[in-house]
Amino acid sequence: MQDSREVLLSVRDMRITYGSGRKAFEAVRGVSFDVYKSETFGLAGESGSGKTTIGRAIIRMIPLSSGEVVFGGRRISGKITKKLDEEVIRKIQMIFQDPMASLNERAKVDYIVGEGLYNVRRDLNNEERIALVHAALRDVGLLPEFASRFPHEFSGGQRQRIGIARALIMRPELIVADEPISALDVSIRAQVLNLLSALQKEHGLTYIFVAHDLSVMRYITDRIAIIRLGEIVELAPTELVFEHPLHPYTKALLQAIPVPNPRVEKSRRILPNDARKATDDAERAMCEIEPGHFVLATGEEEEMYRRFLRVG
Ligand code: ADP
Ligand code: MG
């Protein structure tokens, strides 16, 4: 199948090690994926699997130990020109998990939302900058008057909207949303997800959506990469992940989704330990079992997965 979709971001064999010497820990162990323009690409996996590390490396907050990140056809990891760095700062924005911790408490909303403009839009005078802040606040469903208030005056949901406005004001092409709703009250999660979807359509945004919660992923993503211990074990269009998950770890994650029905809840299986354990994946490679559906497998497992799909 010829793929005509435009690749906006490519992560190629990304490796990231924290610490050095005997304390060295490889949190990301050779991760590769492409993100197409205007799609929502999900990174799913348990806590500690390396999702945040990958997101932070993409926006250049953390250096790669090896591999590269290519954005719009240009390498943006490692040493790059100041001009390209400024472009990346504007075009790739991040929304953080905890809106209580991520906003500067001493600054007014006006400054928090407009801060990025001081660097990328030096041409603006104060009035023009404030007009953009007001527009960004309206875009995320907040009143322009909120600009003169402080973060502590807002609820969790409103604070996350402020975080979104802060990203949006930069006119980004790609937004890395790191568990943007998991710290929020359950009752307002859907509103924030709907807002993100609406903004994506309105502004032609591309999202990398990080979450440990697969039920949220099903609702918002086009494709999902399942990460275990710093490695992608399965990557597929969202409906295929749910319809025929192949890797045992993906299946285990799906079984771990909370079910509202208490009777189902009781019979549900917990994540088996062997799916969590670091296995020797040295002889495994990503294999395309059906169009767009990749899984980490040995030659033998690949055959088994193919048979499974033919029969199923
Ligand atoms: P996730 O976002 O999937 O929960 P993280 O990317 O935060 O995972 O972390 C991946 C692994 O890297 C974890 O084992 C975590 O303990 C470790 N880690 C994260 N940040 C650091 C750090 N600054 N120094 C050392 N280890 C870290
Ligand atoms: Mg994280």
Side-chain angles (χ1 to χ4, degrees), residues 16-19 23 25-28 44-56 62 97 178-179 210 212 227 229-230:
I16 295 165
T17 301
Y18 287 115
K23 284 202 194 118
F25 170 69
E26 197 173 36
V28 180
E46 285 176 286
S47 171
S49 54
K51 307 179 297 294
T52 295
T53 302
I54 295 168
R56 293 195 165 163
I62 301 178
Q97 175 169 3
D178 188 0
E179 312 227 20
V210 172
H212 63 273
I227 305 185
L229 301 168

Side-chain angles (χ1 to χ4, degrees), residues 98-124:
D98 186 356
M100 290 306 174
S102 62
L103 303 182
N104 178 355
E105 286 302 323
R106 282 170 303 179
K108 286 185 182 165
V109 168
D110 157 24
Y111 180 80
I112 292 170
V113 172
E115 186 179 12
L117 294 176
Y118 288 113
N119 283 317
V120 303
R121 292 294 308 273
R122 296 189 194 98
D123 58 306
L124 298 176

Side-chain angles (χ1 to χ4, degrees), residues 53-273:
T53 302
I54 295 168
R56 293 195 165 163
I58 290 170
I59 67 160
R60 296 176 54 76
M61 268 173 76
I62 301 178
L64 278 65
S65 319
S66 72
E68 59 179 10
V69 180
V70 176
F71 177 70
R74 286 175 295 175
R75 178 177 57 80
I76 58 162
S77 53
K79 208 169 152 47
I80 59 173
T81 64
K82 185 157 181 282
K83 186 162 167 287
L84 182 56
D85 186 39
E86 284 178 355
E87 201 179 314
V88 171
I89 287 171
R90 187 184 76 73
K91 289 186 175 172
I92 309 182
Q93 288 290 304
M94 192 150 178
I95 299 170
F96 296 91
Q97 175 169 3
D98 186 356
M100 290 306 174
S102 62
L103 303 182
N104 178 355
E105 286 302 323
R106 282 170 303 179
K108 286 185 182 165
V109 168
D110 157 24
Y111 180 80
I112 292 170
V113 172
E115 186 179 12
L117 294 176
Y118 288 113
N119 283 317
V120 303
R121 292 294 308 273
R122 296 189 194 98
D123 58 306
L124 298 176
N125 65 33
N126 205 37
E127 224 167 80
E128 292 166 326
R129 198 183 52 78
I130 288 174
L132 288 182
V133 169
H134 288 177
L137 289 173
R138 276 197 210 93
D139 269 351
V140 299
L142 295 175
L143 295 169
E145 294 91 279
F146 289 179
S148 56
R149 300 203 196 154
F150 289 94
H152 70 258
E153 300 177 57
F154 297 97
S155 67
Q158 286 173 324
R159 291 170 64 115
Q160 194 55 294
R161 285 171 194 264
I162 292 168
I164 296 169
R166 178 181 156 88
L168 209 59
I169 202 167
M170 302 290 270
R171 295 272 161 248
E173 293 178 8
L174 173 67
I175 292 183
V176 179
D178 188 0
E179 312 227 20
I181 60 161
S182 44
L184 302 181
D185 199 272
V186 175
S187 62
I188 57 159
R189 287 181 182 177
Q191 291 172 25
V192 175
L193 280 185
N194 289 338
L195 171 66
L196 288 171
S197 294
L199 291 171
Q200 179 171 42
K201 287 198 195 82
E202 206 176 312
H203 300 280
L205 293 165
T206 304
Y207 287 148
I208 294 178
F209 194 95
V210 172
H212 63 273
D213 181 349
L214 275 171
S215 55
V216 171
M217 287 289 193
R218 183 170 206 168
Y219 174 74
I220 195 150
T221 62
D222 299 299
R223 292 188 304 138
I224 299 181
I226 305 285
I227 305 185
R228 182 197 56 178
L229 301 168
E231 188 170 49
I232 295 180
V233 298
E234 188 158 1
L235 193 164
T238 302
E239 67 273 17
L240 296 184
V241 170
F242 286 89
E243 277 164 26
H244 20 88
L246 296 173
H247 197 281
Y249 183 72
T250 310
K251 291 183 186 172
L253 274 186
L254 287 170
Q255 274 161 358
I257 292 180
V259 188
N261 179 337
R263 223 180 317 160
V264 179
E265 178 74 15
K266 227 191 217 162
S267 64
R268 145 193 148 196
R269 281 170 41 201
I270 54 155
L271 216 56
N273 277 330

